[in-house]
Amino acid sequence: MINLVLFGPPGAGKGTQAERLKEKYELVHISTGDVFRFNIKNKTDLGKQAQSYIDGGKLVPDVVTIAMLKDEVEKNKNAKGFIFDGFPRTTAQAAALDELLAKKNTTVSAMLALEVDDNILVERVLERGKTSGRKDDANEHIIRKRITVYYEETAILKSYYQKDDKYFGVDGEGSVPEITQRLGQVIDKFVATGRM
Ligand code: AMP
């Protein structure tokens, strides 16, 4: 199985790249942000639990997020592999993912981190906000809060994956196809050496 974690701050291009990589490598794409938004739209209990955190640019509590992620993985029993987009965001989530994949006799193959300058991130998210309908994309204060949360709570995962030699930083600036190509080069190298 190939199990990729796409990593990076809001606006880094995780969702866009995940959509392209899932076709290329036949992976199931799980975006925790998308699952939360779907649940908010459909007014489910999960949506109600998550909404205030998302609107404020904060992380949804681990217990809620981990339970949801487990469900999403279990829904795809025949998957050849996964591309996790927006998960894990905390060490507890990373540990839960390790445990979940270990039960399936597999593991995280690599964390691919998209590196983008903060000002470009804000510009990109504000641009996306014009059409995404996302409240958390429309307000610069909330966008900057989300970027701060990323550096304070999520960036620590770099060392979590680095210790197993699974962290790969990729330049996330440039055209969408250029970035897909850079990510593909890293993945193909892994596949060729049998590490995936
Ligand atoms: P995203 O679509 O990845 O930008 O996520 C949008 C929002 O959903 C985040 O700002 C968080 O409030 C929430 N969220 C998504 N994924 C997670 C996660 N793994 N842990 C906690 N909160 C999350």
Side-chain angles (χ1 to χ4, degrees):
M1 262 177 130
I2 299 180
N3 299 303
L4 303 173
V5 172
L6 257 193
F7 194 63
K14 300 186 293 292
T16 306
Q17 294 301 330
E19 281 300 312
R20 296 169 70 93
L21 294 173
K22 80 166 191 198
E23 300 295 334
K24 195 167 171 196
Y25 297 98
E26 297 178 64
L27 304 174
V28 172
H29 172 202
I30 300 180
S31 156
T32 43
D34 282 352
V35 178
F36 283 135
R37 282 184 287 278
F38 176 86
N39 278 276
I40 290 172
K41 204 168 146 204
N42 290 289
K43 300 190 167 49
T44 67
D45 283 345
L46 175 64
K48 284 176 199 150
Q49 287 178 68
Q51 179 148 31
S52 63
Y53 297 99
I54 295 184
D55 288 349
K58 295 183 195 145
L59 294 185
V60 177
D62 283 337
V63 277
V64 176
T65 306
I66 291 169
M68 176 269 260
L69 189 278
K70 282 186 181 161
D71 280 353
E72 291 300 312
V73 169
E74 292 312 330
K75 278 184 202 162
N76 291 283
K77 289 211 185 310
N78 298 322
K80 288 188 183 169
F82 292 93
I83 180 155
F84 298 101
D85 156 12
F87 186 96
R89 268 173 151 103
T90 64
T91 307
Q93 292 180 16
L97 182 61
D98 282 349
E99 206 180 299
L100 181 64
L101 294 179
K103 280 193 195 138
K104 296 175 150 315
N105 290 319
T106 183
T107 176
V108 170
S109 313
M111 167 181 264
L112 303 169
L114 291 166
E115 295 163 349
V116 180
D117 177 81
D118 283 1
N119 290 324
I120 295 182
L121 294 174
V122 176
E123 260 172 47
R124 281 189 189 173
V125 178
L126 281 172
E127 193 55 39
R128 181 173 74 190
K130 290 180 187 165
T131 53
S132 70
R134 285 175 56 173
K135 266 196 221 162
D136 62 341
D137 281 354
N139 173 321
E140 182 162 345
H141 174 73
I142 301 290
I143 297 169
R144 291 203 181 268
K145 165 81 187 163
R146 286 160 59 203
I147 295 172
T148 306
V149 166
Y150 171 79
Y151 287 116
E152 286 180 353
E153 300 183 46
T154 300
I156 187 177
L157 290 181
K158 178 175 178 175
S159 54
Y160 186 96
Y161 289 97
Q162 255 175 345
K163 71 176 167 18
D164 294 331
D165 224 7
K166 289 183 175 174
Y167 178 89
F168 296 88
V170 174
D171 179 2
E173 294 181 20
S175 73
V176 170
E178 263 165 14
I179 300 164
T180 311
Q181 202 191 358
R182 286 177 206 146
L183 292 164
Q185 276 169 358
V186 176
I187 300 166
D188 291 343
K189 213 191 258 176
F190 260 92
V191 174
T193 55
R195 270 185 69 173
M196 280 184 186

